[in-house]
Amino acid sequence: MGDKIDNKTEQLAGKAKEKAGKANDDPALEAEGKADQSKSNLKQAGEKVKDAFKK
C-alpha cells in the first residue's frame, strides 16, 4: 500500500512542477514534471500487474 501512495504523491508532484513550469515559462521544469508523471504512471502500472498476479 505504501508504494501506491508514494506513486500517487510523485504523480501529483509532477503535475505541480508541470503547472509551475507553464506559469513561469520554464520549459525545463515543465518537462521535468511531465517526466515525473510518466515515471509514476509506469510504477502504478507495475503495481497493478503485481496485484493481478496476487489474485
Side-chain angles (χ1 to χ4, degrees):
M1 184 61 132
D3 288 339
K4 290 180 183 180
I5 293 170
D6 291 342
N7 294 338
K8 192 64 171 176
T9 302
E10 185 176 14
Q11 182 182 26
L12 293 173
K15 284 184 182 185
K17 281 184 187 179
E18 181 183 3
K19 287 183 181 187
K22 284 182 182 179
N24 295 318
D25 197 30
D26 184 350
L29 184 60
E30 187 177 345
E32 185 179 338
K34 287 181 181 181
D36 288 349
Q37 289 178 68
S38 295
K39 185 170 56 169
S40 173
N41 288 337
L42 286 173
K43 288 179 182 179
Q44 287 178 26
E47 289 295 323
K48 288 180 183 179
V49 168
K50 283 197 288 187
D51 288 346
F53 280 106
K54 286 181 183 179
K55 293 181 180 180

